[in-house]
Amino acid sequence: VIIPGSPYLQAGDDALLVQIDVQPNRKSRPAAGKTYNIVRNGFAEAGAFWKIALGHDGKVRVSIRGSVVGALTPVISLGGGPVLDDGKFHGIQLLKWDNLVQIFIDNKLVAQRVALVGTLSNGAPIVLGRSGYRGRMDNLYISAQRTIIPASGS
């Protein structure tokens, strides 16, 4: 599934919340060192991006990179938590707040990192699956909170 790029789905410099419920197939893990994308925006090779993926151990993997003054920041990778391919649905949340990236599984914090992410804007579509992921997905929610600055004038 591809959701066309939209300015409303671009976090820019503000907070980002991506939430999705998943139930990966039990015998459908990627090869060692590989991941299957669950949901992503952008590509690591092409600039700012974020993705939530299933690792070869059945656990969540998150990668995120932004830009600061036109230069790309390093890729931030986090992972961990429980095995997701246990036959049950699991809720995954990726949160980016200023310089903090967090992953929650079933409402429990499983990983976090303080790091400069920068601006998360790329105009790319949101893509669900499409990289080998097999399983069910439900309740995708993306919130990119923008700060509204009132115009000044007389």
Side-chain angles (χ1 to χ4, degrees):
V1 174
I2 297 176
I3 302 166
S6 165
Y8 298 108
L9 297 174
Q10 301 295 313
D13 294 319
D14 297 317
L16 171 71
L17 166 63
V18 181
Q19 182 174 305
I20 190 166
D21 296 332
V22 298
Q23 184 185 34
N25 287 351
R26 293 186 129 175
K27 297 180 181 179
S28 182
R29 292 184 183 177
K34 302 287 184 186
T35 61
Y36 288 157
N37 293 338
I38 295 170
V39 59
R40 70 170 166 77
N41 174 243
F43 295 95
E45 301 82 16
F49 80 101
W50 56 261
K51 76 174 184 174
I52 299 172
L54 181 69
H56 71 276
D57 57 0
K59 297 181 179 185
V60 72
R61 298 285 182 269
V62 167
S63 299
I64 188 169
R65 176 179 62 204
S67 63
V68 176
V69 192
L72 294 175
T73 61
V75 174
I76 299 162
S77 297
L78 302 167
V83 171
L84 300 178
D85 57 356
D86 61 0
K88 301 175 187 170
F89 262 99
H90 294 279
I92 301 171
Q93 292 177 323
L94 160 62
L95 290 111
K96 186 253 302 177
W97 306 94
D98 295 323
N99 293 333
L100 178 64
V101 178
Q102 297 177 308
I103 306 170
F104 291 82
I105 304 293
D106 299 328
N107 297 315
K108 295 178 184 157
L109 179 65
V110 298
Q112 66 180 358
R113 180 166 306 160
V114 175
L116 178 63
V117 175
T119 301
L120 283 174
S121 294
N122 58 28
I126 306 293
V127 179
L128 292 165
R130 298 198 55 166
S131 71
Y133 175 84
R134 300 214 187 323
R136 296 168 60 186
M137 299 180 201
D138 201 1
N139 301 320
L140 173 64
Y141 177 82
I142 299 170
S143 176
Q145 298 294 320
R146 299 222 177 257
T147 302
I148 300 172
I149 301 172
S152 61
S154 47

